[in-house]
Amino acid sequence: MQFPESWLRSFCNPDLTTQQLADLLTMAGLEVEELQPVAPPFTDVVVAQVLEVAKHPDADRLNVCKVDAGTGSVLQIVCGAPNVRPGIKIPCATVGAELPPGADGKPFKIKLGKLRGVESQGMLCSARELGVSEESNGLHILADDAPLGQSIREHLKLDDTLFTLKLTPNLAHCLSVYGIAREVAALTGAPLIDPAITPVKPEIDAHLKVSVQAADLCGRFGGRVIQGVNPQAKTPDWMVERLARCGQRSVSALVDISNYVMFELGQPSHVFDLDKIKGELIVRWGKAGEELKLLNGNTIQLDEQVGVIADGSGQVESLAGIMGGDATAVGDETRNVYLEAAFWWPKAIAGRARRYNFSTDASHRYERGVDPAPTAQYIERVTRLILDICGGKAGPLDDQTLQRPERKPVALRLSRAQRVIGMPVTLTQVEQVFMRLDLPFTAQAKGSDTHLVVVPPSWRFDLQIEEDLIEEVVRVIGFDKLPKRAPKAPVTSQVRPEAQRSLYAVRRSVAARGYQEAITFSFVEEKWEADFAGNTQPIRVLNPIASPLAVMRSSLIGSLVEVLKTNLARKADRVRIFEVGRVFKRDASVLDGDQTVAGFDQPVRVSGLAYGSADALQWGQAARNVDFFDVKGDVEALLAPRQAQFVKAEHPAFHPGRCAQVVVEGKAVGFVGELHPKWRQAYDLPLAPVLFELDADVLTQRAVPAFTSVPKMQSVYRDLALVVTDSTPHDALIGAITKAPSEGLVRGARLFDIYKPKTPVAGMADNERSLAVRVELRDDEQTLTDERIDVAMKAVLASLASEVGARVRA
């Protein structure tokens, strides 16, 4: 929210400098985001009047003006502004004046000079040249009663500062200049000047029937008829100035008055053209199929979720609490108006404007809460301004109160406040804070403690629990008053077990393999869950930040594919990315805990994606695209020294024949595979990426190195040429060898050749192939003999025959 300091000080003027006031507001929770002067520094610019205007003898677009600047002598100034004319009062920079810097960043100094041979003794200024406005239509014309010779800074009150506050949603009572002044008065003890609001005596007996049909939409509705207004009346300069310094441009007198009171007191209002309303006004929820053309020119489709104000014919005239309709907007032909101000329930307004991709000052206030108590007084304030500026006669005030917010008492325990604040706050201090904030309370002694029960006033929507009251106490006392004490808790370092590494170390390990980390949202598109995880019942987000991001992810694969698409759209041809993050699954076995939620499992996963060429641009070997075995090697390196098994499996996201389940010590810990062709086509990917996804726990655990002595005996190697079927897995073959009953002599086996004949060979069927395996045997205590080796090899062959049906090639 933006407002000028002078407006704030008209309500409460503490003995503080501008910076001290800004610091006070910030420390009280009303963060001052920016302080900006109304106008940049300049000197010797005064109010002057143009007496005569004559054409320049040597320039068609220049005029020679006689100007009275209150110096006692008439100045001759050459001016090229199109709107210069005799009689107007304008800012005049006299000789020696220094104007704000121009495009070169240097101050512009006014000197005695000549323009096309005619002497000029100063400069007549536009608002843009003074830094007051960006508009430069010509000279900045002042009011007729502006005193000659007065400093323009003093006349236009340019020695003012614009405050820009960054308010949190709970500070609805500070969305007005008066609301902020009320806070300043409470914080400083300076007197608060209430705006003088006197009821307007009705001069006519004119009413407009209003029927409120939805009490859950509108809790209070007030309005009155005003006849004979002049919509073309000029908005007073002081009002235009204050609106401009709040960031609001002047539109027309009727609209400006409504906006002015909203910024002043925080109550939005709306002015209808009475003659365009058919019959009556009906406050209700919208209906499916209804349309409304808004004041901003947009035509929107309505439904039962938005509130409206309709007329007697059923035509919708306004979007309740958000924006008026174009059909009943006031214009130059308006003569009779209906002034409306209401209390709309915050829940009935929240989010409605965002549905239509815009926001208004009114909706911003209503969805946070507007004080319903002084609605009638606000209408009186607007009415008085309309009558004073636009004329007319006012009818009686119609005020309907259906239901106002119930303010439930909130109790504060003094002992609890002291414990949370961290210093011995006294009962007297707390009582003084509540009195300064105008919070009615009662104090009750309960044992050794004191309970203060507060009934929040109508303008405080944020006071609901004990912690809210504690916050009020400490921010009024001052956060700077908190004692500076070192923590008393013992500080002990927690040593991570050697068999465990941090997720940070895991990230470093993945990055060392050439992957770059991505960070994505935990909520994803529902389509991703169905495509990449086969999850048709994902966990839904109750209030998604965007309609596509409506469910919680149970896999990281969809997020990585989306990041890949983003990179491909930016012409990246080789992508290596990974992510470490939580996934979310339903699990009835999970109970509530410090880091768990009942019914939901939230494990951490590590997932990676490789796309494009296997290596960066180089000359050492032929270029090729990354394949399953490249990423499988990365997974083995991340798991090292633990050995993983890769078991053929199926996964919704992966190619049926190029997918493996990763098994470590008999436990499935993840998958690795190439993206399924149908998803590659559906997501428009030129090549198929290869991905992996692993449980983070298996990567954070690692075996502690253990000492083993160097073998004293040499190993013996035997090569076997085995005939097996084409479908025999490598792991099954090696497992049959290592599990053979060889009295512990077999220490390992390695496949070193595969032979598949192109033409039929005697002793081998078409569905068979020959595998050459080298078997390592060793006894750590004594040298192996041929007899023991032969016995061990017979055991190996028997195991191969029984386990995988292998036979020795003839």
Side-chain angles (χ1 to χ4, degrees):
M1 178 179 172
Q2 179 179 302
F3 60 90
E5 181 183 1
S6 59
W7 198 359
L8 173 65
R9 290 187 181 272
S10 69
F11 288 116
C12 182
N13 190 12
D15 187 17
L16 298 173
T17 65
T18 299
Q19 188 60 53
Q20 288 172 335
L21 180 58
D23 293 342
L24 175 74
L25 290 172
T26 299
M27 290 303 295
L30 285 71
E31 180 185 351
V32 178
E33 192 173 31
E34 183 181 14
L35 289 176
Q36 183 180 359
V38 169
F42 59 82
T43 60
D44 295 332
V45 180
V46 298
V47 176
Q49 185 174 24
V50 179
L51 303 177
E52 298 177 11
V53 177
K55 285 292 183 181
H56 192 289
D58 295 324
D60 294 338
R61 296 186 179 182
L62 295 180
N63 296 294
V64 180
C65 306
K66 299 296 184 180
V67 178
D68 181 3
T71 59
S73 61
V74 177
L75 304 178
Q76 177 177 283
I77 298 177
V78 178
C79 174
N83 62 338
V84 64
R85 64 182 186 274
I88 62 173
K89 291 185 177 180
I90 36 74
C92 175
T94 58
V95 174
E98 190 172 279
L99 298 185
D104 59 358
K106 298 179 180 179
F108 183 65
K109 295 184 178 181
I110 304 300
K111 301 177 181 179
L112 184 66
K114 291 185 177 181
L115 290 176
R116 295 289 186 94
V118 177
E119 185 179 79
S120 182
Q121 300 170 332
M123 174 179 172
L124 306 185
C125 303
S126 67
R128 185 171 186 176
E129 289 165 337
L130 297 179
V132 176
S133 171
E134 289 299 318
E135 297 181 3
S136 58
N137 309 355
L139 299 179
H140 183 51
I141 300 177
L142 305 175
D144 293 338
D145 59 353
L148 291 178
Q150 184 182 32
S151 169
I152 204 70
R153 297 195 71 89
E154 180 183 349
H155 178 69
L156 296 180
K157 299 181 178 64
L158 299 182
D159 293 321
D160 200 355
T161 304
L162 300 182
F163 278 60
T164 301
L165 266 58
K166 187 177 182 181
L167 299 176
T168 51
N170 63 311
L171 297 175
H173 60 288
C174 295
L175 286 171
S176 67
V177 178
Y178 177 73
I180 298 168
R182 185 166 47 198
E183 287 293 303
V184 173
L187 294 168
T188 63
L192 177 66
I193 302 173
D194 292 324
I197 301 176
T198 56
V200 173
K201 184 177 180 180
E203 297 183 77
I204 58 174
D205 187 17
H207 295 267
L208 177 66
K209 182 182 178 182
V210 178
S211 175
V212 181
Q213 298 180 354
D216 57 340
L217 168 65
C218 178
R220 185 175 183 179
F221 192 96
R224 73 172 359 136
V225 172
I226 305 176
Q227 295 179 349
V229 299
N230 176 16
Q232 300 184 43
K234 183 178 181 297
T235 305
D237 292 339
W238 59 267
M239 183 177 290
V240 173
E241 172 197 296
R242 283 186 170 177
L243 286 174
R245 294 180 183 182
C246 288
Q248 179 69 48
R249 67 180 182 88
S250 176
V251 179
S252 67
L254 291 171
V255 176
D256 291 346
I257 291 168
S258 175
N259 288 334
Y260 179 83
V261 175
M262 178 181 65
F263 285 114
E264 180 185 44
L265 303 176
Q267 170 68 58
S269 59
H270 185 63
V271 182
F272 293 88
D273 188 322
L274 181 64
D275 298 326
K276 297 177 182 178
I277 300 174
K278 298 176 183 177
E280 61 176 332
L281 289 182
I282 301 172
V283 179
R284 59 174 173 81
W285 291 102
K287 300 176 183 177
E290 289 184 319
E291 287 187 350
L292 172 62
K293 184 178 181 182
L294 297 168
L295 288 173
N296 61 7
N298 295 345
T299 299
I300 60 174
Q301 304 295 322
L302 306 174
D303 57 27
E304 299 84 352
Q305 301 300 316
V306 294
V308 300
I309 301 177
D311 63 16
S313 67
Q315 176 68 35
V316 178
E317 305 295 357
S318 176
L319 195 59
I322 300 174
M323 185 180 288
D326 182 69
T328 54
V330 295
D332 291 346
E333 305 302 322
T334 299
R335 291 296 175 267
N336 306 309
V337 299
Y338 182 76
L339 171 63
E340 165 265 317
F343 168 70
W344 307 99
W345 290 97
K347 289 184 179 180
I349 304 300
R352 269 60 172 189
R354 289 191 294 274
R355 288 182 55 184
Y356 301 111
N357 298 319
F358 68 88
S359 179
T360 64
D361 288 317
S363 66
H364 184 76
R365 285 162 174 78
Y366 278 127
E367 64 186 7
R368 286 159 175 77
V370 171
D371 186 4
T375 303
Q377 290 91 322
Y378 294 154
I379 295 177
E380 298 286 5
R381 172 66 168 156
V382 178
T383 303
R384 172 50 59 195
L385 289 172
I386 291 177
L387 296 180
D388 290 345
I389 297 171
C390 302
K393 297 180 180 180
L397 175 64
D398 297 321
D399 186 12
Q400 300 181 52
T401 301
L402 290 85
Q403 183 180 358
R404 287 166 57 175
E406 180 185 356
R407 293 287 185 260
K408 296 181 179 179
V410 183
L412 178 142
R413 294 165 290 174
L414 185 60
S415 59
R416 166 77 171 161
Q418 293 171 341
R419 188 164 62 253
V420 172
I421 295 173
M423 67 179 184
V425 179
T426 66
L427 176 61
T428 301
Q429 286 179 298
V430 176
E431 290 177 336
Q432 288 178 347
V433 167
F434 289 165
M435 286 187 290
R436 289 164 65 178
L437 291 171
D438 202 10
L439 303 180
F441 68 94
T442 57
Q444 304 171 0
K446 293 192 175 182
S448 59
D449 200 359
T450 302
H451 290 201
L452 293 94
V453 180
V454 173
V455 179
S458 57
W459 65 84
R460 294 302 297 267
F461 286 77
D462 58 317
L463 300 182
Q464 299 178 5
I465 59 176
E466 184 178 23
E467 283 71 13
D468 295 332
L469 296 179
I470 296 174
E471 178 187 1
E472 296 300 299
V473 171
V474 68
R475 75 184 187 88
V476 173
I477 291 176
F479 290 106
D480 56 328
K481 301 296 192 300
L482 294 176
K484 298 177 182 179
R485 292 195 298 260
K488 294 182 179 180
V491 179
T492 57
S493 60
Q494 294 184 353
V495 180
R496 191 183 302 277
E498 191 177 356
Q500 182 182 0
R501 59 178 175 175
S502 67
L503 280 174
Y504 179 75
V506 173
R507 288 183 172 92
R508 293 288 296 266
S509 297
V510 183
R513 304 295 301 175
Y515 293 78
Q516 291 184 318
E517 186 173 11
I519 300 175
T520 63
F521 286 123
S522 295
F523 20 85
V524 298
E525 293 188 32
E526 188 171 358
K527 184 175 183 291
W528 297 358
E529 281 296 291
D531 293 350
F532 300 120
N535 185 5
T536 57
Q537 293 184 333
I539 301 169
R540 298 193 174 278
V541 181
L542 295 179
N543 187 22
I545 62 172
S547 54
L549 308 179
V551 301
M552 303 300 292
R553 64 187 179 189
S554 63
S555 170
L556 303 177
I557 294 175
S559 300
L560 292 184
V561 171
E562 182 65 17
V563 174
L564 171 63
K565 287 187 62 181
T566 301
N567 280 268
L568 294 179
R570 287 154 179 78
K571 306 302 181 183
D573 56 2
R574 184 176 184 272
V575 179
R576 297 289 188 281
I577 51 176
F578 79 97
E579 181 171 10
V580 179
R582 291 192 182 276
V583 298
F584 306 85
K585 298 182 176 182
R586 301 183 190 276
D587 188 345
S589 65
V590 178
L591 303 177
D592 268 325
D594 292 339
Q595 298 181 348
T596 58
V597 178
F600 299 97
D601 187 22
Q602 305 176 56
V604 178
R605 294 280 181 82
V606 179
S607 185
L609 178 149
Y611 174 91
S613 60
D615 297 301
L617 189 63
Q618 46 82 42
W619 56 268
Q621 57 186 2
R624 64 177 181 84
N625 289 329
V626 68
D627 59 21
F628 172 88
F629 297 101
D630 293 314
V631 178
K632 174 177 174 287
D634 290 336
V635 172
E636 288 177 322
L638 294 175
L639 292 170
R642 304 173 79 178
Q643 297 293 321
Q645 290 181 297
F646 295 85
V647 182
K648 182 179 179 181
E650 292 187 0
H651 188 282
F654 296 141
H655 191 297
R658 299 172 187 173
C659 171
Q661 187 175 50
V662 183
V663 180
V664 176
E665 298 173 0
K667 180 182 177 182
V669 297
F671 287 88
V672 59
E674 182 182 298
L675 191 68
H676 200 292
K678 65 180 179 181
W679 305 136
R680 172 191 164 188
Q681 183 177 9
Y683 289 86
D684 195 23
L685 301 176
L687 301 172
V690 184
L691 303 99
F692 69 85
E693 186 170 52
L694 304 172
D695 291 334
D697 290 343
V698 74
L699 293 173
T700 56
Q701 304 296 327
R702 56 183 178 181
V704 178
F707 170 78
T708 56
S709 60
V710 178
K712 297 178 180 179
M713 303 299 172
Q714 293 184 349
S715 296
V716 174
Y717 298 93
R718 293 290 184 268
D719 293 344
L720 296 176
L722 304 171
V723 177
V724 296
T725 61
D726 291 338
S727 61
T728 301
H730 167 271
D731 287 351
L733 179 74
I734 301 300
I737 296 173
T738 56
K739 291 187 295 185
S742 61
E743 299 180 356
L745 298 184
V746 175
R747 297 303 177 94
R750 183 180 294 273
L751 176 68
F752 65 88
D753 186 44
I754 301 176
Y755 171 66
K756 178 71 176 179
K758 297 181 180 179
T759 58
V761 175
M764 289 180 63
D766 291 341
N767 65 339
E768 292 181 328
R769 56 183 172 175
S770 173
L771 304 180
V773 181
R774 177 162 294 174
V775 181
E776 179 185 5
L777 303 98
R778 187 178 70 243
D779 188 333
D780 293 333
E781 301 300 328
Q782 55 184 318
T783 303
L784 291 177
T785 62
D786 289 340
E787 291 77 9
R788 293 184 67 193
I789 295 172
D790 291 340
V791 172
M793 292 304 297
K794 287 180 181 179
V796 168
L797 292 173
S799 177
L800 285 167
S802 62
E803 293 288 336
V804 297
R807 66 182 186 276
V808 177
R809 180 180 169 190

